[in-house]
Amino acid sequence: MKAVAAEIASAELDALVPPHGGVLRELYLPSAEAEALKRRSASLPQWTLNQRQLCDLELLLNGGFSPLQGFLGRTDYDRVVSEMRLADGTLWPIPITLDVDEAFAASLADGAQISLNDIQGTPLAVLTVEDVYFPDRIAEARSVFGTTDRTHPGVAELLDRTGPVYLGGRLQGIQQPSHYDFTALRHSPRHLREWFRQHGWHRIVAFQTRNPMHRAHRELTLRAAEKVGAKLLIQPSVGRTKPGDVDHYTRVRCYRELLAHYPPDHATLSLLPLAMRMGGPREALWHAIIRKNYGASHFIVGRDHAGPGKDAEGKPFYDPYAAQHLLAEHEQELGIQIVPFPAMVYAANRDTYLPQTEVAAQDEVRDISGTELRRRLHNGEAIPEWFTFPEVVKILRERHPANAPQGYALFFTGLSGSGKSTLAQAVLARLLETGSRPVTVLDGDEVRRHLSKGLGFSREDRDANITRIGYVASEVIRHGGIAICAPIAPYAGARAEARQLVQAHGRFVEIHVSTPLEVCESRDRKGLYAAARAGKIKGFTGIDDPYEIPASPELRVDTSQVTVSEAADRVFAWLRNEGLA
Ligand code: PPS
């Protein structure tokens, strides 16, 4: 009798296991082995993961990136970049690579193992290095993102903030990265699959988002779920999204409120620690594979999925329906069904939402774009109930109080003697004359006396100096202040990093003080050019060390053409025009 009961129980269980999901490759070692490896990891070369690498590692270790078993080696990488497939032919659209600097790569012996640590130095995994290679990052950008335009955040990250050497190899997981926020909403693929099974959810449609959700999203997800007879998994990306997005703390508070507006036992919320690349169609394919790994049977692909907006010439990077087409092409192979959905719009005359494709000529369509929403929040203007739920508005208003001044950084860059510091002082005076906002000045020489004391002028030291300035500026801006920075900042990569740090919280205004070298040298206020020409100072910017001219600064001023006062007027006028001063 007992045996029969057990048989039935297991048959029932089998029947409950969803037919989707596929093989989950978790890379964590059993606890005793993990403990032993943790002890051994202390004697290995140490690598501190940046935020993107940490997100990638978490999804590699918990099986979110199944079937990957580590960071891609050269052969897999080449085929992923060119054909969206691993070397064995498996569909995989985005290169998952561990980028490092040349010095670190050169220090590794053949077949080395390295300890991959979080910022606190906690070892999370050990990588057995099987491949060390120099990628062609321009070619990667072209194939993966379809462009080398740095306006694309994925391209800027790849070209300006990605190390030149990639390490490929297998991972052994020691422990999960720590999270202290919304822990009850974070699940591994195994946990989520188990939760679906326990709750008898067999058909699950997953929804990806990086924005707060409003009524249009609720309508879209409800209709998509209804269409395929599935329950809904709202799975927002909370790892890293597009610079300038609403922070995930605010978004998650909004999603929690929204959840109450679905029918009971209809929708659930789970956070995905994904570092998005904003890669449009390829990224959509990647999102679908990840959701399959988390146990979803269907995946919603909306308009312009994971699109980064417009390029430097104002044209959209991707066709809004390219992602839907690409996924339809690969649906059979993907192992998850695609639910393409048009944008939902509000028809005021019918007081209802409907798919854009069903709008009739007489319909009065209303929409509020993200920019318009930010404007209304900023000005304290009404946000109509047809657009979103009052609880969501309340959270957004708390986060973005009306008329709160926006923090920003004025980042002056240029050769020594170009007039950066003088111009920064003149702009500071204008700001203080006209308003009482807090301003922090991070001038080159001043910073080197305190914040960057001990740093020299090697490339690494200069980069560290600019990152420090960017970091402090981003903190000032986070609290609504103004940071005026005036370093030489000769390298584009470091400037891009500072921009990224700042843009997480406010505006970054790059002002290239483009005074020509001959003029700077003739001024030679500190006698440094003469010393550099005489070989007494090595690696002097403009003489025997490069200054990489900013490609698209917000402003360019040449103090050999205009007086400092006129230049300050131009900066100030620009700020006024942008509503910053
Ligand atoms: S950097 O490259 O952005 O980190 O430089 P920064 O912190 O702005 O410091 C530049 C000031 O340091 C003096 N100095 C040098 N500049 C360039 N190259 C070399 N090798 C060098 N050695 C010393 C110089 O006075 C710079 O000040 P400014 O105000 O720009 O003239």
Side-chain angles (χ1 to χ4, degrees), residues 208-396:
Q208 140 73 26
T209 180
R210 42 167 265 266
N211 287 311
M213 286 172 71
H214 306 297
R215 282 188 198 263
H217 302 99
R218 177 182 168 274
E219 294 298 322
L220 187 155
T221 50
L222 263 181
R223 280 181 188 235
E226 214 167 79
K227 187 171 156 196
V228 296
K231 305 282 192 180
L232 175 68
L233 166 65
I234 300 172
Q235 201 180 31
S237 292
V238 298
R240 199 200 46 188
T241 61
K242 193 177 157 192
D245 278 348
V246 175
D247 65 88
H248 81 264
Y249 302 101
T250 308
R251 285 192 286 125
V252 176
R253 292 201 294 276
C254 294
Y255 304 139
R256 282 198 307 212
E257 292 295 342
L258 183 90
L259 213 53
H261 292 274
Y262 286 91
D265 189 36
H266 212 87
T268 191
L269 173 65
S270 182
L271 312 185
L272 184 71
L274 179 71
M276 292 180 69
R277 273 56 164 185
M278 305 310 299
R282 274 201 189 220
E283 175 132 357
L285 205 58
W286 187 43
H287 287 181
I289 296 171
I290 297 167
R291 271 45 183 233
K292 177 188 81 172
N293 288 328
Y294 272 87
S297 54
H298 294 73
F299 182 57
I300 300 172
V301 183
R303 198 183 172 279
D304 198 24
H305 190 106
K310 298 192 174 143
D311 66 14
E313 278 149 28
K315 287 201 245 76
F317 278 106
Y318 307 112
D319 174 277
Y321 295 101
Q324 293 184 351
H325 296 150
L326 185 73
L327 270 73
E329 236 175 78
H330 294 282
E331 187 166 10
Q332 284 305 316
E333 198 180 347
L334 272 171
I336 182 166
Q337 290 179 47
I338 303 308
V339 187
F341 231 84
M344 296 293 291
V345 292
Y346 179 69
N349 51 316
R350 309 196 209 180
D351 187 22
T352 189
Y353 274 87
L354 70 163
Q356 202 162 31
T357 46
E358 290 173 22
V359 171
Q362 66 275 16
D363 282 325
E364 293 161 35
V365 168
R366 303 264 156 83
D367 192 18
I368 293 184
S369 66
T371 317
E372 171 64 8
L373 177 62
R374 276 193 292 279
R375 195 191 64 76
R376 287 182 187 223
L377 286 169
H378 182 75
N379 297 340
E381 286 175 30
I383 295 166
E385 276 227 27
W386 63 258
F387 176 71
T388 195
F389 298 95
E391 308 92 295
V392 171
V393 175
K394 183 168 175 281
I395 293 167
L396 294 177

Side-chain angles (χ1 to χ4, degrees), residues 414-417 420-421 444-445 448 457 461-462 465-466 486-490 526 528 537-541:
L415 296 169
S416 172
K420 311 178 289 297
S421 303
D445 280 338
R448 281 183 172 272
F457 290 88
D461 280 7
R462 288 181 196 252
N465 180 37
I466 301 308
I488 297 179
K526 301 176 187 166
L528 293 172
I537 301 179
K538 296 274 181 242
F540 196 80
T541 306

Side-chain angles (χ1 to χ4, degrees), residues 99 111 119 165 248 259 345 416 447 469-470 506 519-520 522 531 541 576:
D99 59 299
I119 195 111
V165 189
H248 81 264
L259 213 53
V345 292
S416 172
V447 164
I469 293 174
V519 178
C520 299
S522 67
T541 306
R576 276 254 152 90

